[in-house]
Amino acid sequence: MNAGWFAKRLLSSLFVLAAVIALNFILFRMMPGDAVSTIIDPSFSPEAKENLRAIYGLDRPLAEQFMIYVKRMLTFSFGLSFISRKPVWEELLSRLPATLALTSASMALSAAFGIWLGIKAALCRGRLAEKIVLGASAVTASFPGFFVQLVLLMLFARALPIFPLRGTLSAPPPSGTMNLFFDYVRHMALPVISLSLIGFGGWALYVRNLMVRALGEDFALMARARGLPRGRVVWHAFRTILPPIITIFLMSVPGLVSGAVITESVFSLHGVGTFLLEAVSGHDYPAAGAAFYLLALITVSCNLAADVSYGFADPRVRYRR
Amino acid sequence: MSISQKFFCALLLLALSISPAAALTDKKIDISKLRGPKISELSMLIISNPDAQIMAAEAGELDIIGDIARPSDIDRLAKNKNLQMSIARGFHAFFLLLNNKKSPWDDAALRRAAAMSIDRSGIVRMIFSGYCEPINSWLPPVSPWAPAGGAQDIYNPQAARALLKKRGYSWNMAGRLVAPDGKEMPAMKLLTPLARVSPTTAELAQTIADSLSSAGFPVETEPMDFSTMINRLDRKDYSMAVLAWSMGRNPDSLYSFYHSSMDFDGGYNMTGTCDARLDRSLEALRGAPDEASARKAAREAQRALLELMPSIPIYSRFSVTAVSKKWKNIFTTESSTADNMWTLLAAEPRGGVGRPLTMLLPEEPRNLNPFTASSAYSWQALGVIYESLLTTDPYTLENMDAIASSWKVAVAGSGRARHTELTFKIKRGLRWNDGSPLTARDIKATVDFLRRNKIPRFFDAVKNIKRIETPDDHTLRVVMEDVSYWYLDNVAGLPAMPAKVVNAVRDWQNWDPLAGGGEAGPAGLIGSGPFMLKGYRAGEYLLFERNPHYRLLEGAVK
């Protein structure tokens, strides 16, 4: 890797961020209506609406609004949410734990399980085990997520009340650190399992295809011809497919913080995904602007990290550059 | 009575028979003698997923689940042996808006004909399974200010056809209306929210369009994003639209919706109504000096609306609530389902075992700052903490005492200096939930704070206040700028807060009432309501405990 390439890549990322900042502002202002115009309440007079619009800063010229917005984005000071009148940071931070717990756990589980299944399927090519893995993966990947989650909710929270129906904690929460932890795990189990169930199929299919191709390469044939142990051959093959897996994994990181909107909705989780949804539907410019900007920042950073890590994972790429 | 009306009546009786008020209470509760709350703890569980809400009620995790909207959910819960249902006439009304400034809806006769062409009872039956009532009123029929007979279906296609014919309209071979000048009526769009966002409304809009098409009106639905639709309504860039909103019990809202002074971009007169007679009656209504004058003006305004038909009332949705049978003394009336304050005061677990009453909160109350909280869910929580000068009698929907023991509305001054004066007598011995005494000076401090800061939510309620006087600790006199009977409700409905709290607020927009809590609970949420906040976890729950100083507790007021 050379400094010139990295500098160019970094500059490109900054350009993307600048474009996102501008588009973020423009698109929201282009949407019909605003946070005030959708209020239909005869006890809330047009005069009071104008008063509220002034408090929100919506009565200022667009250019001025844009300058304020850019300053906030660059200084990471996002102002107050229109809906909650709380600092946007405060709201985001209060919602991140549930989202991170949900998405990171489910991503780890689905990736681990999916990768393992994919490798098994590739090794059992042509046999019943492969067909089962392929079939199960295709089925789970094709079912609508909310449908799977509602079925699981009905089965294991209602019919067989093993897991709670909602939230991340009991009301009131149990006392003691360990009790609190287990209560949290018990509440998050069903959402995590459901999301993992939805996601593992994609991983399995992808890894299986990569492994089949890798195991068919000459180096694998040579390894087997040399009498290397089967496990070592598999490891060599897996090593070659690691770069794209790492890339996909890193590019999935923005999803960790953007939240699984549907899952959060189904399980009534206080997460970032529902925050985004409410911000957009409610024309909450500070909240929506901040959320999308941070998402873009994380996405660009992860893409950059993926490019860098790709070089480390595959020395040929590093030397070539 | 037409066949459809008979069918509707049968459906209404069937719906109401699911759980008439008498079945939920041993006898009619004399609210003047009610003492409570009997429960020591109340919890509100935040469950945003409608399916999870239903499952939680079935599983016994929720004792009260209110505002159940989907007929399938109502039917499902009604079959549950552990739950009892209560149904009440509601304040949510649905209208077909017509642009009175645009042809052909600038013709009142045509609007009346369209009104008679819509099969409301069919809508009630097919779309809502009977859980609403057809209306021909611009106020909820349950409102004491609504006209008698407001809940009726005026569907009469023959009469509509006769009226159109009388006005010179005819029909072409395709059944489409032809104007008196010989031109076919142009196609019209009926704006409606997207089906994926509001499937019931979208279905309803299509049904209305079909009804009107059958009568010869060339109407097609045009689904769109709600914000886009509101934007077009604001600019009068539409022909027809469907819109629903929750109304209050008072008729003063008619001024906002139909007075010509509200006909501007962003104003509430979205139909563009401009009628001198209606304006006079609405002005008389808004500026009524006393109740008798207000009632007279309200009747005249509604008569004018019947003749003008600026929009077409379609239905008013029933309010439906499910309650666990593990609780007794559940309070309901014709206009109030079980999830009301009186239930919270009277409810006791059967068997006498003390445990929290758990009710549903369908969304996170994003804001517990009473100065900036704007959502119904925030106020569902705040409403058990704060009280106001007056409350509403659940049987008559008239004002009744709360913090104030009596009140008087008088007109003082003469000529252009005439103005309304409100005098409230504050009950003696009242205390805030922290134990400190509640006096008229606290109320004055609260209202002055709201006025001084021009807080949007309360702006309209206080903007016409000239001054507030407290001759003594138990007398509050509010002097208004001009005359209006409705100032009583505006002022009497404000939440009361301690002077020491509001005087300590430096930045009302960023004020966090949950900060700095002590033994008496959050430092900022000091109210005189029946409960006080005990615990709150965002997105999860709110826990309340009984306010030991609540005025209706036995021995609380000495």
Side-chain angles (χ1 to χ4, degrees):
Chain A
M1 185 185 305
N2 59 72
W5 173 85
F6 184 80
K8 185 177 179 181
R9 192 71 182 82
L10 185 61
L11 191 62
S12 175
S13 299
L14 292 176
F15 180 81
V16 170
L17 273 180
V20 167
I21 288 177
L23 283 175
N24 212 8
F25 181 87
I26 293 169
L27 289 177
F28 275 109
R29 265 53 179 195
M30 285 178 64
M31 288 171 61
D34 56 31
V36 179
S37 64
T38 51
I39 296 173
I40 304 177
D41 182 350
S43 64
F44 205 99
S45 71
E47 188 180 0
K49 280 185 168 183
E50 288 307 313
N51 189 9
L52 186 59
R53 191 170 272 111
I55 290 173
Y56 289 167
L58 299 177
D59 60 335
R60 299 178 181 179
L62 279 180
E64 186 179 344
Q65 290 186 48
F66 181 70
M67 293 308 296
I68 293 171
Y69 161 80
V70 170
K71 180 181 177 183
R72 285 178 172 174
M73 297 299 114
L74 297 182
T75 59
F76 294 91
S77 170
F78 303 120
L80 302 181
S81 161
F82 286 170
I83 296 174
S84 68
R85 306 306 298 158
K86 293 177 182 175
V88 172
W89 263 127
E90 182 182 311
E91 284 230 79
L92 277 171
L93 292 178
S94 76
R95 292 173 181 260
L96 261 182
T99 293
L100 286 177
L102 170 67
T103 56
S104 60
S106 60
M107 181 180 289
L109 284 177
S110 61
F113 189 52
I115 291 171
W116 179 76
L117 277 182
I119 294 171
K120 286 294 183 182
L123 294 176
C124 298
R125 193 177 183 192
R127 288 189 271 174
L128 179 61
E130 183 196 32
K131 291 182 172 60
I132 292 174
V133 170
L134 291 178
S137 299
V139 167
T140 56
S142 62
F143 267 108
F146 73 92
F147 174 79
V148 174
Q149 289 166 346
L150 282 176
V151 169
L152 290 175
L153 202 61
M154 181 69 72
L155 286 177
F156 299 111
R158 175 70 186 107
L160 297 172
I162 302 172
F163 299 108
L165 273 162
R166 52 144 286 280
T168 59
L169 284 175
S170 300
S175 57
T177 303
M178 291 307 293
N179 288 337
L180 201 63
F181 174 76
F182 285 122
D183 187 58
Y184 193 85
V185 169
R186 182 168 162 265
H187 277 76
M188 293 300 290
L190 199 55
V192 169
I193 289 171
S194 67
L195 207 53
S196 302
L197 200 58
I198 293 165
F200 88 90
W203 281 103
L205 292 173
Y206 184 65
V207 170
R208 178 257 177 198
N209 290 337
L210 290 178
M211 281 295 289
V212 165
R213 189 179 305 141
L215 289 171
E217 295 285 352
D218 290 343
F219 76 87
L221 180 60
M222 176 62 72
R224 285 197 290 270
R226 291 174 57 199
L228 292 179
R230 187 167 184 265
R232 191 162 179 84
V233 175
V234 172
W235 169 249
H236 274 306
F238 179 72
R239 182 72 173 77
T240 64
I241 70 171
L242 199 55
I245 290 177
I246 292 175
T247 301
I248 292 175
F249 196 86
L250 285 173
M251 292 179 73
S252 301
V253 169
L256 291 176
V257 293
S258 67
V261 176
I262 294 176
T263 305
E264 289 176 7
S265 175
V266 170
F267 293 98
S268 300
L269 299 178
H270 188 61
V272 174
T274 50
F275 176 78
L276 283 173
L277 189 61
E278 291 166 6
V280 173
S281 62
H283 296 270
D284 191 344
Y285 298 157
F292 283 109
Y293 172 68
L294 290 175
L295 266 181
L297 186 64
I298 293 167
T299 301
V300 169
S301 300
C302 288
N303 285 344
L304 193 61
D307 285 346
V308 173
S309 65
Y310 200 101
F312 284 103
D314 188 343
R316 295 173 301 173
V317 175
R318 180 168 63 228
Y319 293 138
R320 185 182 308 128
R321 290 173 179 171
Chain B
M1 186 180 292
S2 68
I3 293 177
S4 61
Q5 287 175 326
K6 290 178 180 177
F7 184 82
F8 162 73
C9 288
L11 272 180
L12 178 60
L13 290 173
L14 176 63
L16 291 177
S17 69
I18 290 178
S19 185
L24 282 182
T25 59
D26 299 331
K27 56 184 178 180
K28 182 175 179 179
I29 294 178
D30 183 349
I31 54 178
S32 67
K33 298 180 180 177
L34 185 62
R35 293 293 176 262
K38 294 181 169 59
I39 52 175
S40 60
E41 291 183 338
L42 168 72
S43 65
M44 294 183 182
L45 283 190
I46 302 168
I47 307 178
S48 55
N49 179 1
D51 294 303
Q53 293 166 6
I54 302 302
M55 285 189 267
E58 292 175 328
E61 291 185 25
L62 287 172
D63 297 316
I64 299 180
I65 172 174
D67 200 22
I68 307 166
R70 300 188 299 197
S72 58
D73 291 337
I74 298 171
D75 293 339
R76 177 173 161 183
L77 293 178
K79 295 173 183 174
N80 190 297
K81 62 182 180 180
N82 297 318
L83 298 170
Q84 49 194 344
M85 309 296 289
S86 76
I87 294 180
R89 305 172 82 186
F91 291 86
H92 183 93
F94 190 96
F95 294 87
L96 175 64
L97 300 186
L98 306 172
N99 189 339
N100 290 213
K101 290 184 176 299
K102 184 181 287 188
S103 175
W105 302 122
D106 54 355
D107 184 343
L110 207 66
R111 298 196 296 267
R112 288 197 297 271
M116 290 188 285
S117 302
I118 298 173
D119 183 5
R120 294 166 184 73
S121 295
I123 290 171
V124 169
R125 182 174 64 252
M126 298 303 296
I127 299 180
F128 295 101
S129 302
Y131 295 115
C132 63
E133 60 187 337
I135 61 174
N136 188 40
S137 167
W138 285 263
L139 293 175
V142 74
S143 167
W145 300 83
Q152 63 168 302
D153 186 359
I154 62 170
Y155 176 56
N156 191 336
Q158 293 77 26
R161 192 174 183 91
L163 178 57
L164 290 168
K165 193 173 292 185
K166 183 179 178 181
R167 296 285 295 179
Y169 286 87
S170 60
W171 291 261
N172 65 12
M173 293 295 291
R176 185 160 168 170
L177 274 168
V178 178
D181 61 4
K183 296 179 179 177
E184 285 188 2
M185 185 172 289
M188 292 177 284
K189 296 293 186 181
L190 171 55
L191 309 189
T192 176
L194 295 167
R196 70 167 185 268
V197 175
S198 187
T200 304
T201 304
E203 183 182 4
L204 177 60
Q206 186 60 55
T207 303
I208 292 173
D210 292 342
S211 283
L212 293 174
S213 293
S214 298
F217 296 94
V219 178
E220 291 180 348
T221 59
E222 183 179 0
M224 60 180 56
D225 173 71
F226 183 74
S227 295
T228 304
M229 190 175 94
I230 296 299
N231 184 262
R232 287 185 60 174
L233 295 180
D234 283 347
R235 294 185 286 108
K236 307 294 192 298
D237 178 25
Y238 79 102
S239 181
M240 312 169 72
V242 291
L243 199 63
W245 57 83
S246 289
M247 307 174 73
R249 56 177 177 146
N250 288 332
D252 190 42
S253 59
L254 297 177
Y255 186 101
S256 299
F257 286 122
Y258 300 108
H259 193 274
S260 61
S261 68
M262 293 293 173
D263 177 19
F264 54 86
D265 283 4
Y268 287 124
N269 187 349
M270 289 178 279
T271 56
T273 304
C274 186
D275 181 85
R277 175 192 169 196
L278 179 61
D279 276 358
R280 285 194 298 272
S281 60
L282 292 174
E283 288 159 7
L285 177 61
R286 174 149 284 195
D290 51 47
E291 182 175 343
S293 302
R295 291 197 177 276
K296 179 182 177 185
R299 286 193 297 270
E300 290 179 358
Q302 292 178 87
R303 274 198 288 266
L305 286 169
L306 275 173
E307 292 182 19
L308 280 173
M309 196 66 68
S311 61
I312 300 176
I314 305 295
Y315 72 87
S316 179
R317 181 160 60 86
F318 292 153
S319 180
V320 183
T321 295
V323 185
S324 169
K325 290 182 179 177
K326 295 178 181 176
W327 292 85
K328 62 180 181 179
N329 296 341
I330 303 300
F331 186 91
T332 63
T333 68
E334 182 194 26
S335 62
S336 181
T337 47
D339 53 335
N340 61 69
M341 187 61 68
W342 309 101
T343 292
L344 300 186
L345 297 180
E348 290 182 270
R350 295 188 189 276
V353 179
R355 65 182 181 89
L357 178 70
T358 305
M359 63 192 308
L360 170 70
L361 196 60
E363 279 190 30
E364 159 72 9
R366 296 277 297 274
N367 194 341
L368 291 179
N369 176 350
F371 305 123
T372 56
S374 58
S375 83
Y377 309 111
S378 293
W379 279 101
Q380 185 174 332
L382 294 172
V384 300
I385 298 171
Y386 294 110
E387 268 198 319
S388 49
L389 289 168
L390 302 179
T391 187
T392 304
D393 185 305
Y395 294 110
T396 66
L397 300 186
E398 306 286 352
N399 284 321
M400 70 176 288
D401 63 287
I403 291 175
S405 59
S406 65
W407 61 96
K408 184 174 76 171
V409 181
V411 175
S414 60
R416 299 183 68 178
R418 290 182 80 226
H419 60 274
T420 293
E421 286 190 0
L422 310 171
T423 304
F424 301 91
K425 287 293 185 181
I426 308 301
K427 291 178 179 176
R428 296 181 178 273
L430 298 183
R431 294 184 178 275
W432 299 107
N433 59 29
D434 65 352
S436 59
L438 190 163
T439 70
R441 292 182 170 82
D442 290 305
I443 313 301
K444 172 176 163 48
T446 302
V447 181
D448 281 341
F449 182 89
L450 301 179
R451 295 170 65 204
R452 184 167 61 250
N453 290 284
K454 296 184 178 180
I455 295 171
R457 175 178 173 83
F458 305 106
F459 181 81
D460 293 307
V462 301
K463 67 182 178 182
N464 293 106
I465 295 175
K466 186 174 184 180
R467 68 178 183 272
I468 303 173
E469 301 167 350
T470 52
D472 54 62
D473 279 352
H474 302 287
T475 302
L476 183 78
R477 183 178 302 126
V478 183
V479 180
M480 310 304 297
E481 295 279 0
D482 47 24
V483 175
S484 177
Y485 174 75
W486 310 109
Y487 290 148
L488 171 66
D489 289 349
N490 287 351
V491 174
L494 296 171
M497 301 172 200
K500 63 184 181 183
V501 171
V502 296
N503 290 338
V505 174
R506 297 291 173 247
D507 180 359
W508 62 270
Q509 291 196 61
N510 292 291
W511 184 53
D512 183 3
L514 304 183
E519 289 185 1
L525 294 180
I526 307 298
S528 62
F531 295 94
M532 49 203 293
L533 189 66
K534 179 181 178 183
Y536 167 54
R537 190 173 180 96
E540 305 285 343
Y541 57 78
L542 292 98
L543 300 179
F544 301 87
E545 61 185 353
R546 182 169 54 204
N547 171 11
H549 306 288
Y550 184 57
R551 60 184 175 87
L552 291 181
L553 280 171
E554 293 284 356
V557 178
K558 300 175 181 178

